[in-house]
Amino acid sequence: DTGVSQNPRHKITKRGQNVTFRCDPISEHNRLYWYRQTLGQGPEFLTYFQNEAQLEKSRLLSDRFSAERPKGSFSTLEIQRTEQGDSAMYLCASSLHTSGPANEKLFFGSGTQLSVL
Amino acid sequence: QKEVEQNSGPLSVPEGAIASLNCTYSDRGSQSFFWYRQYSGKSPELIMSIYSNGDKEDGRFTAQLNKASQYVSLLIRDSQPSDSATYLCAVRGSARQLTFGSGTQLTVLP
């Protein structure tokens, strides 16, 4: 399978616990994005990487959220001290960015559904 | 004002009809526009991209862009029940990340 892979598919946790999600992008893609989606809404940008560098974080992103992309390959998203409001689908997307027109296309993984009890 | 706005629907059309989905955006510097399809419980799937004013056709899908009016639309011809999904409009503006609308739920009735 050469698509974007996310693990786990589902995560149920208790409020206050820490959780970590993993994303493996399409192998030749140099950019990796994290989005969050709640029911009835479109995906909301969280952060993105170009290779191993984290280039942008949403102003709405709490300090409890941290993401890494060591060696520019897979990425992890950690949420510390989870809250019920963190319940959502966490989507990872990857793209191949080259210089030139801004026609970069994002391809999404299947997502990790987080439920905080 | 939301950065990307879509009619939430639901929009229902009979099988074989043309479904028309609309999207407006607020950032005049936006350069890239995308339509994603999302089936219930699944992740968004890219179906169309458009970068220049005018129409772009791909099979039964036509994307239309009017930058002066800050408007982008998606037409689905000969709609099929399998087209029933939520359609997300996404715009890349001055910021580098894609901004999504909240989606329009489409139901194609057999």
Side-chain angles (χ1 to χ4, degrees):
Chain A
D1 186 351
T2 57
V4 179
S5 176
Q6 290 189 248
N7 287 289
R9 291 295 304 277
H10 303 275
K11 179 70 177 179
I12 299 173
T13 191
K14 293 182 179 179
R15 189 176 55 187
Q17 297 295 304
N18 299 343
V19 294
T20 300
F21 310 141
R22 175 177 171 127
C23 172
D24 288 88
I26 295 172
S27 58
E28 62 268 27
H29 285 184
N30 54 2
R31 282 193 173 176
L32 186 150
Y33 295 77
W34 286 99
Y35 280 79
R36 174 173 63 189
Q37 187 177 25
T38 54
L39 199 61
Q41 300 298 313
E44 174 191 29
F45 171 76
L46 295 179
T47 188
Y48 88 98
F49 295 82
Q50 178 156 318
N51 300 315
E52 66 274 11
Q54 187 173 20
L55 295 188
E56 191 169 346
K57 291 197 302 184
S58 169
R59 291 167 294 175
L60 303 175
L61 198 60
S62 161
D63 289 344
R64 297 183 295 105
F65 288 69
S66 62
E68 295 182 340
R69 193 184 182 196
K71 303 178 183 178
S73 55
F74 71 93
S75 175
T76 57
L77 176 68
E78 181 182 19
I79 308 174
Q80 296 182 327
R81 305 181 302 282
T82 53
E83 301 173 357
Q84 288 184 325
D86 297 331
S87 296
M89 173 75 81
Y90 289 83
L91 293 165
C92 175
S94 71
S95 69
L96 179 62
H97 173 74
T98 58
S99 60
N103 56 0
E104 171 192 350
K105 297 176 182 178
L106 269 61
F107 296 90
F108 284 87
S110 298
T112 294
Q113 181 66 53
L114 173 66
S115 298
V116 182
L117 305 179
Chain B
Q1 182 188 8
K2 287 187 177 180
E3 294 181 52
V4 179
E5 295 210 46
Q6 297 181 248
N7 291 331
S8 59
L11 172 66
S12 294
V13 300
E15 184 175 356
I18 296 175
S20 177
L21 306 163
N22 305 317
C23 173
T24 59
Y25 58 94
S26 60
D27 184 350
R28 283 195 170 275
S30 298
Q31 295 294 321
S32 309
F33 307 85
F34 304 87
W35 284 98
Y36 283 80
R37 177 175 61 199
Q38 188 172 27
Y39 292 112
S40 180
K42 302 295 185 183
S43 60
E45 172 193 11
L46 179 65
I47 54 172
M48 287 289 288
S49 60
I50 186 166
Y51 314 111
S52 303
N53 281 327
D55 295 359
K56 179 181 177 182
E57 187 174 316
D58 184 0
R60 295 186 296 113
F61 298 99
T62 299
Q64 299 175 316
L65 175 61
N66 183 326
K67 289 185 178 180
S69 300
Q70 296 175 245
Y71 175 89
V72 59
S73 66
L74 179 70
L75 301 178
I76 307 174
R77 291 182 301 282
D78 188 24
S79 295
Q80 302 296 310
S82 58
D83 295 326
S84 298
T86 296
Y87 289 81
L88 297 163
C89 173
V91 176
R92 179 172 287 112
S94 305
R96 285 164 288 190
Q97 76 274 8
L98 279 186
T99 301
F100 285 82
S102 56
T104 298
Q105 185 178 345
L106 172 68
T107 300
V108 180
L109 304 170

